Amino acid sequence: HPAPPVPAASGNGLDIGIVFDVGGRGDKSFNDGAYRGGERAEHELGARVHFIEPGEGSDREAGLRLLAAEHMKLVIGVGFIFTDDLTALANEYPNTEFAGVDYALKLDSAGNVVPPPPNLAALKFREEQGSFLVGALAALVGKSKKLGFVGGMDIPLIHKFEAGYRAGVNYVCPDCTVIAQYAGVTPEAFRNPGRGKELALSQYQSGVNVIFHASGSTGLGVFEAARQTGTLAIGVDADQYSEAPGHVLTSMVKGVDAVVFDQIKKVRDGTFHGGVQEYGLAENGVGYIYDAHNRALIPDSVHARVEAIRAGIIAGRIAVPSTR
Amino acid sequence: MTDAGAAAPIVRMTGIAKRFGAVEAIRDAGLEVIPGEIHAIVGENGAGKSTLMRILAGLFPPDAGTVEVAGRDVTGWSASQAIAANVGMVHQHFMLVPPLTITENVILGREPRSGLAIDMARAQREVAEAAERSGFRMNVRACVRDLSVGEQQRVEILKTLVRGARILILDEPTAVLSPPEVQELWRVLRALRASGGTIILITHKLDEVTEISDTITVMRAGRSVARFPTASASAASIARAMVGRDVVLSNDATTRRSPISQTARAGLDVRHLVVAGELRARAVDDVSFSVARGEILGIAGVEGNGQSALIEAIVGLRRATSGEISIGDRDITALSVRERDALGLAHIPEDRHRRGLVLDFSIADNLILGRQREYDRHGTLDRARVLADARAAIERADIRPADPELPARALSGGNQQKIVIARALARETAVLVAAQPTRGVDVGAIEQIHARLRAARDAGTAILLVSAELSEVLALSDRVAVMYGGRIVAIVPRGEASEELLGPLMTGAA
Amino acid sequence: MSIALAFLAQTLRIAVPYLFAAAGGVLAERSGIISLTLEGFMLGGAFSAMLGSYYSGNPWVGVLAGIAGGLVLGLVHAVATIRYKADQVVSGIAINLLAVGLTRYFLKLVFDSSSNSPRVAGFSAGTSTTALVAGLLHNPLIPLGLVALPVVAWLMYRTPFGLRVRAVGEHPEAAATVGVSVARVRYIAVALSGALAALGGAYLSLDQHQFTDGMSAGRGFIALAAIIFGRWDPMRAALACLFFAAAETLQIQLQAMQAIPSQFVQMIPYVLTIVALVGVVGRAVPPAALGRE
Amino acid sequence: MSAASSPSALRGRVAEALLPPLVALLVSIVAGDLLILAVGQSPGAVYRLMLEGTWGNAYGFGQVLYKTTTLVCTGLAVAVGLRAGLFNIGAEGQLAAGGLGAALVGLALPAGTTALLAVPLCTVAALAGGGIVGYVPGVLRARWGAHEVITTIMLNFVVLAFLSWLLSGRLRVPETLHTNAIRAGALPRLSAWWAPFHGSASNASLIIVLAAAASTSWYLFHTSRGYELRAVGLQPDAAESGGVSVGKTWIRALTISGALAGLGGINFVLGYEHYYEEGFATGAGFLGIAVALVGRSNPFGVVLAALFFATLSQGGLAINALVPKQMVDALQGVVILAMAASVPEVRRLLTLRRGAK
Ligand SMILES: Nc1ncnc2c1ncn2[C@@H]1O[C@H](COP(=O)(O)OP(=O)(O)OP(=O)(O)O)[C@@H](O)[C@H]1O
Ligand SMILES: Nc1ncnc2c1ncn2[C@@H]1O[C@H](COP(=O)(O)OP(=O)(O)OP(=O)(O)O)[C@@H](O)[C@H]1O
Ligand SMILES: [Mg+2]
Ligand SMILES: [Mg+2]
């Protein structure tokens, strides 16, 4: 059995394992969200959480396997990239619970969803819904017919953000256009803030006033550009207000922390169950920030309008696309 | 002439030893030079002449022994200390930086400044003045890479003079000069001696030694074996001291068979050949000649007059711009090296380290270079045959040490050259292009290489010999061509050729 | 600001890290030492500049720390290649890996992060970018970057040190025979190259006000390509840097139009580099002693 | 008895081959100690953990073998280039292209195709995928003199972007970065033969790759083409005078080099995940350079060096509890640097000693 970089689970404790995606701790968004959820579970639930930051390739599976072999109560893989490894391991360790953040569902040849194993919770966020709301917000606040989007790596997951955002912009402003740019086509594209800043500056210079980024550390450059030009940017995954106070209109938050905490709690309470669990606006899994920090940036009328749209989406009156 | 006994020596080196890794370059060598004399150092390749002089010039310290200059013990001094003590050296391989101008080369290491920058105006003025004083005419703003070899040598000498050299060391200065340029050099050296300077001269050419020097030191195998006044020596006695045995100094030892008629067996034929060089569009400029089988055509000329481009075009290493090259009736202008090789064209490259050998390959592997595909058996190199053939070739060519597995790098220059020649002559060839076949090779080896070339000629090979050594061209050739400025300016039968006739042609003077 | 001016300003901003790195690279390469290290120098410079600024709260201390970081990496490369005669390409690759590893390790150690440092004091604090000059002067490293290669050109062609650098890179033996210490000239050139390239890295992290893992993102290699493209001449290398930056700006602008798949737009600078290498400088002659002892 | 094969000369050559890696190992251990002490941990404990997590248990060792497989390929790729005097820095793009090649064939073959047919076809596709990517800088160098260090670096970006574009069409499974699972050509895991490997990714491609290493060695040192390749690498002008076409040899060398890197793709695609995934090649190309250097560009040395670097890489995961795993990234740099510096230094010291005797 694998040698333990992780102390063996005591058997009666609430031992939890979390494996991070590339970027790892300190990415100021996605992984940090999972970390916060884990930390909260340590404080509030007395859980013992073991974090692993794998490298690339087979290390991801190795990380999961290490935790499963040490009899963690729950093993969480943070990122769609873990999908296949989680599926295989859940089958191999039927007595361990697994959860996958952004788990990608497989379709069979008939186009039906292949259900994940019973001990695996597929946690899916409806990023397009949150993106739709910040798109509408951006168009309403932006005072410009042009809106900006900066993506990290040019991949379907990020297209989902772009699609929702576009739809949201056009919902409130049919003649607005969205300039969407991607930082690159390799994973480096998520950690090139220099490129992010230049992309943002060129968008701002072409008349854009608000940019939504979904680009990991590259987005930190977008905030820099917003600061420098006195314009607005929209954060992603976590509340990124502090990256450029006064220039972060809002953030499209993904409740990774809450969902991670929630899954751990369910394991403690014995209510954990596998299967697909979608977190959209209705479940408060995604949303946008509206608090003391940014209230001044958002007129009440706009806030009201966005809230109405939110209700519309939850009620199913507004359809949100998830692909470009 | 100075009386060797009278003055105190200005340079005295005793018990010098120096090794490079496993090579013991010199052991117990000594030198005594009297102020105001021209002192020649002679010796076979690898005898340690250059090494001894580099120690004197401060390029590296000796492992043992002492060096005194003007009565002061300077053992282990540095290049800049040597320069400060007015010792200057012109190296065997020029120590010039080609892309820099003459001025920049001359001032390197002692640049006049104004503020942080170089005072280039002053530098140019000073260099120009110094050149004038020494009787050199040159454009001090020209790039060194654009100069002829002779001009480059003048820059080298100027470099030492500007640094105030009173003891001037010249390492084989004439190897690359045409006869008139050599005379010009002698003029400069004599003038320097007349003004009280001391000159140490390394050379392989015994006629030069007798012509210019006052005293001779002979080195052999890392030791100084003899020192005598030039007046008391003859070329033959010097050669004997160098090699340790009698040597046939052949200039007209050419025992010719009756000449074969040119048309009988066609060899190499070159028609209106034009070849582009690195610097010039027409490095070879409309050259035509032919070499019959059983004949040696020697091409004399100062290096840099298109010989390299000509050779490379003939053997297929460089494309001809226009013109035609053929072997027998076969037009080979468009063929590859390998295809020409298959038609019986062999090549002794002029630079064995660059073109001739893969220094890190073994002797055996070097002997099959170009033939490697013939040793393929079922997709695998037949090592047994490679080694067997190598042993035979080593034996035939007297390559030492006789170990086929030894890397070529471990061999002396002369033995390395024997590999190259053994390979070129390993089988019957219709045409042999021999470029500088004895460059930097000592007297004993020269003898042997010349004999092999004559034997090949007598066996019916058409040999194109290109050599910077006029004496070699005269010793071997049946006809002599002179190349200047990319053109063949004359072709004369051996009988009519002489240094007096060819010398001026080589410099474009006639 | 007009479109043309915006294009120019963006090109200049993007060019700054290239210009610094190329300035360093030209010096080292002309002295005979291959500059595959620029990427590592930049990354190290970016990290140490961030660290300096983090601990002092002053971006200028960050600049000095960046220079120091570059000097250290430069000296490691110099000792390996000059003293120990390590293969220069190999040492360069090792330096790059070392820079990646050390910055990651200390990022984790100091900030417990695998991606980003906290925000630190940097240079681009203001707001106005309405005017080209004012916008560019916001970050003092931009004007410095723009003069880096002209200064290196002056150093190279007008000063004794530059003459020695050129001599040592072409024919070290010749330089040695006139008493020039080849090793010393190369040590200085490589150390300077580390410091200059590190300034390019410092520009990245101070302009962003933070360090991000791998933030040099291949810029050192582009700078090396610019040097080759510029045939080892500082001013021509500067033009090449501007050319590459313009290609990138073009790429950014073209992407905004969304006419072709982004993957192909992303290729533009790299394809241009190859085309340039093939078309313009195929037979460019490097310094004769480049890569040799 | 010739001088070269005398016992003392042989000992000298063995020392010259073995001392540099040992020195490099020592230096990197010292550097590692410093990094570990900087975190306040005990080096002994960290190294023990590293050994336990790698060679100390079957699973860890299986993981090491899995990583070794890819590194042997990229290491061989760089080594063949070096033997021809060329620096192939594009192994990463070649590896990715090889992986996609194998996956495309695996996807195109009908399900149930016998492994006897499918595996060779997929393997050839991997070789071809990498080979094509290697061919391009070969031609650029031979025809236009464009330096391969720059072109292979640039081509990495271009190839990865191009593959990403290929995938962005219909190949990609929605929401993921990978293709569908291949229908044929999958290789068994080693655990199928030896149960304790259970769970580790190591698979039968290791055997194919070792065979490739042996073939590379045979090619380089026992065929006339290999002879030509080495001659061109050592002394291109001399090779050219000997009738060897330098340009063709360069193209051939870089094509073989690319193909070997591409072969590494089967490890992930045929042996491990059974699909092509964007980013699977990340880092393996650069590490291949380290492997080739430490392995002294000798195929068997490459295998050993790959094992070493795979151990380091897997060890990083194991020591994460005590020190940041990023330590091994820094150590890789130290190993290469120490190796690069000690090769000439050891040679110098050995000749000095030989001379003194
Ligand atoms: N830097 C060096 N490294 C290794 N060996 C050297 C070095 N310099 C000289 N040698 C060796 O030392 C010996 C003496 O060389 P040196 O150059 O002094 O001979 P030389 O008498 O000048 O010969 P030549 O007439 O060919 O110029 C030779 O065997 C040579 O190969
Ligand atoms: N140096 C040689 N000596 C003898 N035969 C040779 C030599 N070189 C090639 N051949 C043979 O000549 C034939 C044609 O050579 P050709 O040049 O077409 O080979 P190739 O495969 O294209 O290799 P290359 O790339 O080196 O040209 C082959 O059968 C080859 O084995
Ligand atoms: Mg000599
Ligand atoms: Mg052919």
Side-chain angles (χ1 to χ4, degrees):
Chain A
H1 267 281
V6 178
S10 51
N12 43 17
L14 185 57
D15 282 279
I16 309 294
I18 295 182
V19 185
F20 289 125
D21 198 353
V22 282
R25 278 276 290 124
D27 69 346
K28 302 190 177 181
S29 63
F30 187 70
N31 289 301
D32 278 354
Y35 181 76
R36 273 197 310 279
E39 258 191 335
R40 201 175 132 213
E42 288 191 324
H43 289 139
E44 297 179 19
L45 307 174
R48 291 202 304 174
V49 186
H50 309 282
F51 299 99
I52 291 188
E53 290 188 338
E56 68 303 316
S58 67
D59 285 353
R60 286 193 294 262
E61 184 194 334
L64 294 172
R65 186 173 284 281
L66 219 50
L67 294 164
E70 290 306 323
H71 307 293
M72 297 292 136
K73 290 278 181 346
L74 170 67
V75 176
I76 305 175
V78 185
F80 73 95
I81 200 97
F82 288 97
T83 298
D84 291 87
D85 299 328
L86 281 169
T87 315
L89 279 170
N91 286 322
E92 198 181 320
Y93 290 89
N95 297 322
T96 302
E97 315 284 16
F98 290 88
V101 176
D102 283 348
Y103 185 92
L105 294 172
K106 276 216 166 52
L107 303 180
D108 62 17
S109 45
N112 299 315
V113 170
V114 180
N119 56 334
L120 168 55
L123 312 173
K124 296 192 61 68
F125 290 89
R126 313 225 24 197
E127 293 92 351
E128 69 278 11
Q129 292 187 344
S131 302
F132 191 95
L133 288 189
V134 297
L137 183 56
L140 292 171
V141 173
K143 301 191 192 82
S144 164
K145 292 283 177 209
K146 284 187 189 169
L147 283 304
F149 175 82
V150 170
M153 188 174 172
D154 194 349
I155 50 172
L157 180 75
I158 307 299
H159 297 165
K160 218 163 136 186
F161 291 82
E162 186 198 329
Y165 180 72
R166 265 182 201 284
V169 166
N170 289 325
Y171 181 78
V172 298
C173 172
D175 60 339
C176 281
T177 54
V178 173
I179 300 177
Q181 292 178 291
Y182 286 82
V185 292
T186 61
E188 303 282 302
F190 285 116
R191 43 180 200 177
N192 192 345
R195 166 59 62 84
K197 184 170 177 179
E198 288 305 332
L199 287 171
L201 283 176
S202 83
Q203 293 191 3
Y204 287 134
Q205 262 146 17
S206 70
V208 166
N209 286 333
V210 187
I211 296 176
F212 175 38
H213 93 88
S215 60
S217 296
T218 298
L220 301 175
V222 176
F223 292 125
E224 258 333 292
R227 255 184 211 263
Q228 192 176 319
T229 53
T231 46
L232 294 170
I234 298 176
V236 77
D237 291 347
D239 181 0
Q240 297 191 307
Y241 181 81
S242 62
E243 294 306 321
H247 300 282
V248 179
L249 176 60
T250 180
S251 295
M252 198 295 279
V253 289
K254 230 164 121 171
V256 178
D257 50 347
V259 169
V260 164
F261 177 81
D262 192 40
Q263 295 296 324
I264 297 176
K265 187 157 181 294
K266 280 181 175 165
V267 168
R268 190 196 64 172
D269 300 343
T271 57
F272 179 90
H273 59 91
V276 181
Q277 295 166 37
E278 293 215 67
Y279 294 90
L281 288 174
E283 297 80 13
N284 264 325
V286 297
Y288 69 101
I289 298 288
Y290 180 72
D291 63 12
H293 290 311
N294 65 348
R295 193 158 291 155
L297 296 172
I298 303 172
D300 287 344
S301 63
V302 169
H303 181 232
R305 177 92 197 271
V306 174
E307 284 300 312
I309 296 172
R310 177 218 279 279
I313 295 174
I314 293 175
R317 283 194 306 273
I318 301 172
V320 178
S322 62
T323 52
R324 291 197 287 191
Chain B
M1 193 175 292
T2 328
D3 179 1
I10 188 160
V11 172
R12 190 209 301 269
M13 302 176 80
T14 45
I16 305 287
K18 178 75 192 173
R19 64 165 56 253
F20 298 100
V23 183
E24 196 166 25
I26 42 181
R27 57 193 101 181
D28 190 24
L31 179 69
E32 248 179 50
V33 182
I34 309 299
E37 73 166 341
I38 296 183
H39 190 114
I41 301 181
V42 297
E44 286 186 286
N45 293 121
K49 307 178 294 290
S50 300
T51 306
L52 190 67
M53 288 303 99
R54 286 187 183 161
I55 288 172
L56 178 57
L59 289 184
F60 37 69
D63 297 335
T66 55
V67 182
E68 283 169 46
V69 170
R72 192 159 61 92
D73 184 346
V74 298
T75 311
W77 64 358
S78 69
S80 24
Q81 284 171 319
I83 292 167
N86 299 334
V87 175
M89 177 157 177
V90 174
H91 294 265
Q92 185 170 3
H93 307 284
F94 288 161
M95 292 297 173
L96 295 171
V97 187
L100 301 187
T101 64
I102 290 180
T103 304
E104 286 174 325
N105 267 288
V106 172
I107 63 171
L108 181 62
R110 51 189 297 283
E111 306 84 358
R113 295 167 196 241
S114 73
L116 290 174
I118 298 177
D119 188 344
M120 194 50 81
R122 193 176 120 208
Q124 280 168 350
R125 204 173 52 240
E126 286 175 1
V127 174
E129 283 166 10
E132 199 145 318
R133 269 200 306 280
S134 314
F136 297 147
R137 268 184 310 155
M138 51 176 71
N139 171 11
V140 297
R141 280 176 218 179
C143 266
V144 162
R145 101 171 109 222
D146 300 329
L147 304 181
S148 72
V149 185
E151 289 170 316
Q152 291 187 10
Q153 188 175 63
R154 268 167 248 156
V155 178
E156 277 284 29
I157 295 174
L158 187 63
K159 255 169 73 180
T160 62
L161 296 182
V162 162
R163 286 171 168 75
R166 304 299 296 154
I167 302 172
L168 181 58
I169 308 162
L170 296 119
D171 193 350
E172 294 198 34
T174 59
V176 292
L177 299 185
S178 65
E181 284 173 323
V182 171
Q183 291 310 320
E184 165 71 12
L185 176 65
W186 291 167
R187 186 190 62 71
V188 173
L189 295 189
R190 289 195 177 105
L192 192 64
R193 176 175 61 184
S195 70
T198 307
I199 290 141
I200 305 174
L201 178 72
I202 300 178
T203 176
H204 280 294
K205 300 180 188 167
L206 303 186
D207 51 340
E208 292 177 353
V209 174
T210 44
E211 180 183 349
I212 184 101
S213 75
D214 304 313
T215 312
I216 301 171
T217 292
V218 180
M219 291 186 70
R220 187 164 76 226
R223 291 196 166 80
S224 315
V225 292
R227 178 176 187 279
F228 39 76
T230 309
S232 72
S234 71
S237 66
I238 302 170
R240 195 177 322 112
M242 280 166 62
V243 186
R245 62 185 163 83
D246 282 319
V247 182
V248 192
L249 291 174
S250 63
N251 244 23
D252 19 39
T254 320
T255 40
R256 284 285 283 122
R257 301 163 307 133
S258 55
I260 6 174
S261 87
Q262 289 252 352
T263 47
R265 294 155 74 202
L268 175 69
D269 200 21
V270 174
R271 290 275 150 255
H272 301 295
L273 186 67
V274 177
V275 186
E278 276 84 28
L279 301 173
R280 269 171 294 165
R282 294 170 83 87
V284 173
D285 191 357
D286 193 16
V287 161
S288 302
F289 62 85
S290 58
V291 191
R293 300 194 60 169
E295 179 194 38
I296 298 179
L297 173 68
I299 295 193
V302 178
E303 270 185 278
N305 278 290
Q307 297 97 320
S308 301
L310 175 66
I311 296 160
E312 294 194 345
I314 292 174
V315 300
L317 289 169
R318 200 187 282 230
R319 273 226 331 274
T321 310
S322 63
E324 196 178 293
I325 306 163
S326 45
I327 293 178
D329 314 325
R330 198 49 208 282
D331 181 352
I332 62 164
T333 319
L335 300 188
S336 70
V337 173
R338 194 190 286 162
E339 288 160 331
R340 293 179 202 215
D341 177 277
L343 288 172
L345 174 67
H347 175 207
I348 298 170
E350 61 179 330
D351 181 345
R352 61 173 166 270
H353 283 178
R354 192 169 78 86
R355 285 252 183 231
L357 294 168
V358 180
L359 288 169
D360 289 309
F361 271 9
S362 65
I363 298 176
D365 278 350
N366 269 297
L367 281 166
I368 65 165
L369 183 60
R371 301 263 123 70
Q372 64 276 4
R373 301 267 174 110
E374 290 164 18
Y375 288 86
D376 248 340
R377 212 185 48 184
H378 313 307
T380 304
L381 276 180
D382 186 348
R383 289 236 64 96
R385 221 178 87 219
V386 170
L387 284 179
D389 286 2
R391 290 215 174 81
I394 287 171
E395 161 105 50
R396 218 178 312 124
D398 186 27
I399 295 168
R400 279 179 278 185
D403 178 357
E405 310 252 33
L406 217 56
R409 188 182 291 289
L411 268 54
S412 74
N415 279 297
Q416 289 177 343
Q417 187 69 4
K418 287 184 200 164
I419 301 178
V420 176
I421 288 169
R423 187 175 64 210
L425 298 177
R427 46 155 206 190
E428 288 230 346
T429 52
V431 177
L432 172 66
V433 177
Q436 321 289 359
T438 61
R439 158 157 310 161
V441 170
D442 64 58
V443 201
I446 289 176
E447 242 183 313
Q448 197 200 349
I449 291 169
H450 283 186
R452 292 209 67 173
L453 291 177
R454 289 198 189 95
R457 188 253 331 260
D458 294 345
T461 303
I463 299 181
L464 178 67
L465 168 74
V466 178
S467 175
E469 299 285 344
L470 190 48
S471 60
E472 175 165 82
V473 172
L474 291 174
L476 286 175
S477 311
D478 300 311
R479 286 184 301 146
V480 179
V482 178
M483 203 163 173
Y484 176 79
R487 292 169 175 274
I488 299 279
V489 292
I491 302 188
V492 293
R494 165 68 185 96
E496 297 167 21
S498 67
E499 287 208 21
E500 293 67 37
L501 174 72
L502 300 181
L505 288 171
M506 286 166 68
T507 52
Chain C
M1 201 171 358
S2 80
I3 291 182
L5 271 187
F7 191 96
L8 180 64
Q10 183 160 40
T11 299
L12 293 179
R13 285 194 308 267
I14 292 179
V16 167
Y18 296 156
L19 290 168
F20 274 123
V26 164
L27 258 181
E29 294 242 324
R30 286 299 287 265
S31 84
I33 306 285
I34 294 172
S35 275
L36 221 53
T37 43
L38 295 177
E39 182 75 9
F41 290 163
M42 280 181 112
L43 196 61
F47 185 81
S48 44
M50 175 278 294
L51 217 53
S53 177
Y54 175 80
Y55 282 118
S56 69
N58 181 338
W60 286 105
V61 176
V63 169
L64 292 180
I67 291 175
L71 277 176
V72 169
L73 282 176
L75 281 173
V76 172
H77 184 54
V79 169
T81 55
I82 300 167
R83 162 65 183 83
Y84 289 100
K85 309 206 182 326
D87 184 284
Q88 297 177 6
V89 173
V90 177
S91 171
I93 284 163
I95 294 281
N96 290 342
L97 283 176
L98 198 62
V100 170
L102 288 179
T103 53
R104 281 188 183 162
Y105 186 75
F106 285 105
L107 192 62
K108 189 77 189 170
L109 211 59
V110 181
F111 304 109
D112 190 23
S113 167
S114 302
S115 304
N116 297 297
S117 78
R119 191 178 164 82
V120 300
F123 278 125
S124 54
T127 51
S128 138
T129 44
T130 45
L132 172 72
V133 175
L136 291 177
L137 286 179
H138 262 322
N139 185 337
L141 288 179
I142 295 180
L144 272 182
L146 293 179
V147 299
L149 276 161
V151 167
V152 166
W154 176 81
L155 194 67
M156 195 96 83
Y157 293 121
R158 295 271 181 268
T159 67
F161 174 70
L163 178 62
R164 291 170 189 203
V165 166
R166 286 183 288 144
V168 157
E170 287 291 337
H171 198 337
E173 299 81 13
T177 54
V178 292
V180 171
S181 162
V182 176
R184 191 195 310 155
V185 171
R186 287 185 172 170
Y187 267 110
I188 295 173
V190 176
L192 274 180
S193 104
L196 279 166
L199 277 175
Y203 170 78
L204 289 175
S205 63
L206 294 177
D207 193 52
Q208 293 302 329
H209 295 255
Q210 67 183 326
F211 175 83
T212 296
D213 175 38
M215 77 188 307
S216 50
R219 289 179 177 85
F221 294 118
I222 299 270
L224 182 59
I227 293 169
I228 297 176
F229 195 31
R231 290 186 238 164
W232 289 271
D233 173 80
M235 293 316 287
R236 274 192 300 228
L239 287 181
C241 288
L242 292 174
F243 169 77
F244 285 129
E248 229 174 296
T249 307
L250 185 70
Q251 185 233 69
I252 286 172
Q253 307 289 348
L254 277 183
Q255 227 202 97
M257 293 175 206
Q258 287 168 335
I260 18 178
S262 84
Q263 284 90 352
F264 288 100
V265 183
Q266 303 285 356
M267 289 181 199
I268 290 175
Y270 309 109
V271 171
L272 270 183
T273 307
I274 294 174
V275 169
L277 220 51
V278 164
V280 190
V281 284
R283 306 286 174 194
V285 188
L290 184 61
R292 282 187 11 217
E293 277 177 23
Chain D
M1 200 73 219
S2 69
S5 38
S6 73
S8 84
L10 188 68
R11 223 176 305 131
R13 259 192 285 174
V14 169
E16 200 176 311
L18 292 188
L19 274 181
L22 284 180
V23 173
L25 194 66
L26 271 180
V27 170
S28 53
I29 287 177
V30 171
D33 286 355
L34 292 178
L35 292 178
I36 293 167
L37 291 172
V39 206
Q41 291 286 353
S42 133
V46 172
Y47 290 131
R48 193 167 334 110
L49 208 53
M50 184 179 270
L51 273 183
E52 278 168 10
T54 52
W55 293 61
N57 68 88
Y59 170 79
F61 189 63
Q63 288 296 97
V64 168
L65 287 184
Y66 170 78
K67 294 181 175 200
T68 303
T69 308
T70 307
L71 288 182
V72 168
C73 288
T74 53
L76 285 176
V78 178
V80 167
L82 286 177
R83 286 281 174 185
L86 300 168
F87 233 113
N88 178 9
I89 308 197
E92 185 162 325
Q94 293 149 8
L95 174 60
L100 188 62
L104 288 180
V105 172
L107 283 165
L109 289 173
T113 310
T114 164
L116 278 177
L117 183 64
V119 169
L121 282 179
C122 291
T123 304
V124 167
L127 289 165
I132 291 169
V133 179
Y135 174 79
V136 175
V139 171
L140 292 176
R141 174 74 198 260
R143 285 282 311 275
W144 290 286
H147 203 285
E148 81 284 352
V149 167
I150 306 293
T151 56
T152 52
I153 288 174
M154 297 297 143
L155 274 175
N156 263 343
F157 294 103
V158 175
V159 167
L160 292 176
F162 183 74
L163 296 183
S164 160
W165 174 76
L166 276 184
L167 217 65
S168 69
R170 299 231 240 88
L171 277 175
R172 189 147 61 188
V173 174
E175 295 193 27
T176 72
L177 290 181
H178 59 74
T179 63
N180 277 310
I182 53 174
R183 280 194 277 263
L187 287 166
R189 298 241 178 139
L190 292 185
S191 54
W193 296 315
W194 195 54
F197 274 147
H198 175 79
S200 86
S202 56
N203 57 76
S205 63
L206 177 62
I207 298 161
I208 298 177
V209 166
L210 289 179
S215 311
T216 305
S217 176
W218 170 79
Y219 178 84
L220 283 177
F221 301 108
H222 296 283
T223 70
S224 59
R225 300 297 171 98
Y227 169 100
E228 291 172 5
L229 189 150
R230 287 182 295 121
V232 165
L234 290 169
Q235 207 98 20
D237 290 325
E240 192 187 15
S241 302
V244 179
S245 159
V246 174
K248 271 189 204 170
T249 306
W250 277 341
I251 295 174
R252 191 178 295 153
L254 278 179
T255 307
I256 293 174
S257 170
L260 284 168
L263 177 68
I266 67 170
N267 189 32
F268 182 90
V269 174
L270 303 187
Y272 177 38
E273 292 284 22
H274 302 155
Y275 51 63
Y276 169 85
E277 182 173 69
E278 256 181 273
F280 88 89
T282 306
F286 257 92
L287 219 45
I289 298 170
V291 169
L293 295 171
V294 175
R296 312 293 307 271
S297 299
N298 180 308
F300 294 102
V302 162
V303 172
L304 291 181
L307 204 54
F308 172 73
F309 280 99
T311 304
L312 257 191
S313 155
Q314 175 67 15
L317 213 57
I319 60 173
N320 208 14
L322 295 182
V323 289
K325 72 170 167 62
Q326 285 82 355
M327 187 185 103
V328 301
D329 295 332
L331 280 190
Q332 282 166 0
V334 174
V335 171
I336 303 173
L337 200 60
M339 184 76 191
S342 59
V343 167
E345 187 69 3
V346 164
R347 184 173 307 148
R348 194 178 67 89
L349 293 177
L350 281 178
T351 27
L352 261 187
R353 238 189 40 171
R354 219 172 290 149
K357 256 189 283 178

